[in-house]
Amino acid sequence: MGAVSASSPDDAAPAVPPSGATAPSEPPPGRPRWRERIRLTLEVIRANPTGRIALKVFIGVAGLLVVALGAALIPLPGPGWLIVLGGIGIWAIEFSWARKLLEFTRRNLRKWTGWVTRQSWPVRLLLGLVGMIFVGAVVWLTVRFSFGIDLVASVLNYIATH
């Protein structure tokens, strides 16, 4: 005869986790499943010392490339600052200083947008006009000093001759 188990099937641990806990395969509530997979993948890579160093180097280089691209696009019309923030977001995966910088930026951007939305329409229009003048001046200076073309003089000359 075989040995009889001292515990009965009723003594086994419940298959359902206690209330408030989630099963390990399920992401926390409100978190997308793909984010959980990325988090687990990063944990596996970080578990190996070589993987941890390789991940830091990869994230550092990828973030640097994105930030450099964004910085190059800042003087031009387009999403230069948004791309820079994306690069800082990449760095935030591995570096705590980048996470703090990104949180600081988000917090102050929310404050700024909240302040702007509380303003009257004339103030918003004035802010938009000042922003467009600033971007125009940056584009004009960039084209003038990078390519040697004075856009204002070229436009005025074109208007005068046509």
Side-chain angles (χ1 to χ4, degrees):
M1 280 179 71
V4 178
S5 172
S7 64
S8 67
D10 295 335
D11 295 338
V16 178
S19 63
T22 57
S25 63
E26 296 177 18
R31 184 177 235 181
R33 192 176 298 269
W34 63 270
R35 291 186 81 175
E36 187 64 20
R37 284 187 180 189
I38 290 172
R39 187 188 65 76
L40 290 173
T41 302
L42 291 175
E43 281 181 15
V44 168
I45 293 170
R46 289 180 187 125
N48 180 340
T50 305
R52 187 172 34 253
I53 292 171
L55 181 64
K56 277 197 181 287
V57 169
F58 176 77
I59 294 296
V61 170
L64 179 66
L65 290 174
V66 174
V67 166
L69 174 67
L73 293 176
I74 286 173
L76 302 174
W81 282 111
L82 188 62
I83 294 172
V84 169
L85 290 175
I88 294 172
I90 291 171
W91 279 335
I93 294 170
E94 274 301 303
F95 304 106
S96 63
W97 62 267
R99 239 181 328 277
K100 291 175 186 175
L101 178 61
L102 199 57
E103 289 170 8
F104 171 81
T105 305
R106 285 179 179 166
R107 185 174 54 251
N108 286 306
L109 186 60
R110 283 187 190 111
K111 286 180 185 178
W112 168 254
T113 54
W115 180 82
V116 169
T117 55
R118 289 190 305 270
Q119 302 307 308
S120 64
W121 282 104
V123 173
R124 288 185 194 183
L125 290 174
L126 180 64
L127 288 170
L129 182 63
V130 168
M132 288 192 318
I133 290 170
F134 176 75
V135 169
V138 169
V139 169
W140 173 67
L141 289 169
T142 302
V143 171
R144 180 159 187 196
F145 292 115
S146 296
F147 303 112
I149 301 169
D150 188 356
L151 291 175
V152 174
S154 298
V155 168
L156 291 175
N157 185 29
Y158 179 80
I159 291 171
T161 59
H162 287 85

